[in-house]
Amino acid sequence: MTAVNLSFAACGFMGIYQLGAVGALLRHGDRLLASLRACAGASAGALVATVVVTAPEKLEHCKEFTYRFASNVRRQTFGAVTPGYDFMLELRDGIEDILPANAHLLANERLHISITNSKMGKNNMVSSFTSRDELIKVLLASSFVPVYAGMKPVEFQGQKWIDGGFTDSLPILPVGRTITVSPFSGPQDICPRHAGRRKLHLRLANMNIIFSKDNIVRLNQALFPPPLSRLQAIHQEGYEDALRFLRTEGWIQAPYRLIRASFPGCVPIH
C-alpha cells in the first residue's frame, strides 16, 4: 500500500473536531495507520499531529484539556485578550503535561510543523527537533496569533515566529498521499459535509473552504470557543466524519487495533 500522511488544519479550538477524527482513526483505522509515514499540521492542527505521533494514548487527556482550556477562555471578560490572562502559558502547561520525555525523538522526521516568520512573512516547515523543549517551542510558535495570544512572537533559532496558519494552514507533504483533516467544510478528505447546493470556495493560506454560514460560525468558534455541549458535539462530528472516510476508502477491517509499525510510541486501542 502507498505510504500515507495525515495533515491537520489550523483551526484553534475547533481542534476538538480533529481530536474526534483521530479517535476514529486510532480505533478503526489500523490499515491506514500501518501505512502512515508522517503527520503534519499548523497551529492547533500541529498540536493534534504531535499527539498522533508521540502520545496517542493521551488522546482522552487531550480532549479533557481542550474542554478545560476553552472553559477558561470563555470565563474571561474579553476572552483570550483579557488583561492578565496568559493564553500561551496555559497552552504550554497543557503541552508539557501531555508530551512524553522522548517526544522529540519520536517526532523527528515524522512530524512536520508549519510556522511563519514574523518579519519576512514566509512559511517554514520544521521536522527536526534537538530536544523536547525545542519541540514545545515550535508548537507554541505555530499556535501564536498576535494580539489574541499575546504581543511577543515566539523565538526559535534566533528568529521570531507566529502561527503557521497564516502562510500554510494545511501542509501537503511531498512524499506519499496526504490525507487532510479540517473542521471546515471543503474538499478535504475528512471534514464536515456541506449542506447547501452552492459551493463557492475560498482559499485561506493553502486551504480551500466553502463560503457558507456554517463555516463562518466555525471560524468564529476557532477563536471564541462555544459551550461545552457544543464542543462535545463537534468532537463527535469529527469522529463520525473520519469513520465515514475510512468506510468510503475501504480502510476498515476487524479486529480494530492500532498497528505500531509506523510509530513506536503508539499503544493498542481496543
Side-chain angles (χ1 to χ4, degrees), residues 35-48:
S35 301
L36 188 59
R37 175 184 171 275
C39 290
S43 195
L47 299 172
V48 175

Side-chain angles (χ1 to χ4, degrees), residues 233-250:
I234 293 170
H235 178 271
Q236 183 62 28
E237 185 179 13
Y239 186 98
E240 292 173 357
D241 287 343
L243 191 58
R244 182 176 67 248
F245 168 78
L246 290 172
R247 286 172 176 157
T248 301
E249 293 280 330

Side-chain angles (χ1 to χ4, degrees), residues 2-6 32-40 53 106-112 127 172-178 261-263:
T2 303
V4 297
N5 310 297
L6 288 172
L32 184 156
L33 294 170
S35 301
L36 188 59
R37 175 184 171 275
C39 290
V53 173
L106 296 171
N108 271 328
E109 305 309 323
R110 292 174 171 174
L111 176 65
H112 300 256
S127 59
I172 303 298
L173 299 182
V175 178
R177 175 189 176 185
T178 298
S262 295
F263 296 115

Side-chain angles (χ1 to χ4, degrees), residues 138-185:
V138 175
L139 288 170
L140 291 173
S142 188
S143 300
F144 182 82
V145 178
V147 180
Y148 178 86
M151 301 304 295
K152 295 182 179 180
V154 178
E155 291 191 17
F156 168 63
Q157 293 185 343
Q159 299 186 60
K160 295 181 179 180
W161 304 88
I162 59 176
D163 198 310
F166 287 121
T167 49
D168 192 349
S169 59
L170 188 59
I172 303 298
L173 299 182
V175 178
R177 175 189 176 185
T178 298
I179 297 169
T180 52
V181 185
S182 171
F184 308 110
S185 296

Side-chain angles (χ1 to χ4, degrees), residues 82-160:
T82 300
Y85 176 67
D86 195 330
F87 179 92
M88 294 298 285
L89 178 60
E90 183 160 2
L91 178 59
R92 178 167 192 132
D93 287 346
I95 296 173
E96 289 273 9
D97 191 41
I98 291 167
L99 296 190
N102 65 338
H104 59 295
L105 300 177
L106 296 171
N108 271 328
E109 305 309 323
R110 292 174 171 174
L111 176 65
H112 300 256
I113 301 175
S114 172
I115 58 177
T116 301
N117 188 289
S118 65
K119 184 176 181 180
M120 305 298 293
K122 293 183 177 181
N123 184 265
N124 187 32
M125 294 294 295
V126 183
S127 59
S128 180
F129 313 94
T130 60
S131 67
R132 179 176 181 272
D133 186 65
E134 184 173 278
L135 170 58
I136 292 173
K137 187 174 293 185
V138 175
L139 288 170
L140 291 173
S142 188
S143 300
F144 182 82
V145 178
V147 180
Y148 178 86
M151 301 304 295
K152 295 182 179 180
V154 178
E155 291 191 17
F156 168 63
Q157 293 185 343
Q159 299 186 60
K160 295 181 179 180

